[in-house]
Amino acid sequence: MNPPQDTGTHHDIGWTPIAEEAERAARVLHPEDHQLPRPSHRRIMTVANQKGGVGKTTTAVNLAAGLALHGLRTLVIDLDPQGNASTALNVDHRSGTPSVYEILLGEVSLVDAAQVSEQSPNLLCVPATIDLAGAEIELVSMASRESRLKEALSREALEELDVDYIFIDCPPSLGLLTVNAMVAAHEVLIPIQCEYYALEGLGQLLNNIDLVQKHLNRTLAVSTILLTMYDGRTKLADQVTQEVRNHFGDVVLKTVIPRSVKVSEAPGYGQTVLAYDPGSRGAMSYLDAAREMAERGAASRERQ
């Protein structure tokens, strides 16, 4: 059973499930024919959830890849010392590579650390190296320690990179790295898995977002929630989906990401699922989510 989708095609005359699948497959395989609209303003999004294993990195890299494949310039900032986003985008993140660590210390610029992923010329990544593991301790004694990343994401640097979307992939904690991400961003994207304890710790995350909003970044808001790891065979998945939608309303994307072996396998090959298996349900679902985000972004009239 497929997760509930709303791709906007079912209002057309002559719609059938097979026709919808064919259209979705065409969008993956021939992205040049299906360009997505540019946002009304540059969107800087922190992908956060201190609970591990909810699909944070998977969501960040696959949404970024989906947007990039369809004509939008996208930057992923890997702020997790594990470097999983860097691995999935197959960019160099050996120790000594210009990375987000040197950016936080003020030693290199954003432009110097950004690498182009081989998966799309529109897809950039600032990698995380193992050096980032000690950064939280080093940041404690630094001036303006919560806004080091924000300073690096200057309008001039982002103009030079010419990016429409920036995704900051956070570590599974609420420490200084995650605070830096929230201070630098305008929006928070929260992936929530459709499983037991899905909402565990969410209150704490929302409290932290509220604190950052009050004291450090008044423009910050939870703009997007994406339901991940949906298993249509279980009643629980539907219950969690309904509970999240009832509580958060329109902030929750209509698209739901199914549980998928292909999505899990892709990073092991240094790829997003869109590159690894573009015809898979996981790839198509992330593409649907990217399209939904792009359409929402283009509809926004607010100019940053």
Side-chain angles (χ1 to χ4, degrees):
M1 174 180 169
N2 281 326
Q5 299 285 353
D6 182 0
T7 60
T9 58
H10 59 286
H11 302 296
D12 299 340
I13 295 168
W15 175 87
T16 66
I18 293 172
E20 181 186 341
E21 287 298 317
E23 192 211 9
R24 292 168 80 205
R27 290 209 304 262
V28 179
L29 299 170
H30 302 287
E32 66 282 355
D33 299 331
H34 300 273
Q35 299 293 284
L36 292 175
R38 293 189 73 171
S40 60
H41 62 277
R42 182 175 290 119
R43 298 181 73 182
I44 306 177
M45 311 188 78
T46 286
V47 185
N49 192 332
Q50 80 273 24
K51 195 170 185 297
V54 300
K56 266 197 310 295
T57 299
T58 302
T59 291
V61 298
N62 284 297
L63 286 177
L67 294 166
L69 283 169
H70 292 81
L72 297 174
R73 292 273 292 175
T74 310
L75 170 66
V76 175
I77 298 175
D78 191 350
L79 206 59
D80 186 344
Q82 294 178 74
N84 292 334
S86 308
T87 300
L89 296 177
N90 201 24
V91 296
D92 187 3
H93 58 112
R94 292 170 293 186
S95 184
T97 306
S99 69
V100 75
Y101 172 73
E102 286 82 9
I103 286 174
L104 292 171
L105 296 188
E107 294 175 358
V108 302
S109 71
L110 184 74
V111 175
D112 290 337
Q115 300 180 38
V116 180
S117 169
E118 63 184 20
Q119 294 177 42
S120 168
N122 289 323
L123 183 55
L124 308 174
C125 178
V126 172
T129 63
I130 193 65
D131 303 320
L132 189 60
E136 298 231 27
I137 297 164
E138 292 181 61
L139 284 170
V140 168
S141 59
M142 287 186 176
S144 51
R145 59 189 182 185
E146 297 97 349
S147 54
R148 308 288 295 192
L149 185 60
K150 181 183 180 180
E151 289 164 15
L153 292 180
S154 65
R155 184 183 292 272
E156 295 73 29
L158 295 175
E159 289 287 347
E160 189 171 343
L161 291 173
D162 188 28
V163 286
D164 300 299
Y165 282 84
I166 299 97
F167 292 94
I168 308 172
D169 186 33
C170 293
S173 72
L174 295 174
L176 257 179
L177 290 175
T178 299
V179 171
N180 259 269
M182 289 183 184
V183 171
H186 305 305
E187 307 176 47
V188 182
L189 187 164
I190 306 175
I192 297 176
Q193 82 280 37
C194 302
E195 296 179 350
Y196 277 119
Y197 308 122
L199 306 180
E200 184 183 50
L202 197 58
Q204 190 184 356
L205 174 63
L206 294 173
N207 285 342
N208 276 48
I209 292 168
D210 194 44
L211 283 170
V212 170
Q213 199 259 349
K214 280 179 181 165
H215 300 289
L216 298 166
N217 179 5
R218 295 197 177 280
T219 66
L220 189 68
V222 177
S223 69
T224 312
I225 289 175
L226 179 63
L227 290 157
T228 63
M229 303 180 188
Y230 178 93
D231 186 344
R233 297 168 300 181
T234 68
K235 196 172 181 181
L236 174 69
D238 283 328
Q239 288 172 345
V240 171
T241 300
Q242 203 52 53
E243 194 174 336
V244 172
R245 290 197 190 285
N246 289 344
H247 191 74
F248 292 102
D250 290 341
V251 168
V252 187
L253 292 182
K254 292 185 178 71
T255 305
V256 176
I257 308 301
R259 180 169 283 288
S260 162
V261 173
K262 299 293 186 186
V263 170
S264 305
E265 285 176 353
Y269 294 87
Q271 293 181 316
T272 62
V273 72
L274 291 171
Y276 178 64
D277 191 347
S280 66
R281 283 172 62 231
M284 289 187 183
S285 296
Y286 270 114
L287 192 61
D288 284 340
R291 173 170 291 276
E292 200 178 336
M293 277 186 62
E295 286 169 354
R296 287 186 179 196
S300 170
R301 290 285 165 263
E302 193 176 301
R303 189 85 203 171
Q304 296 292 339

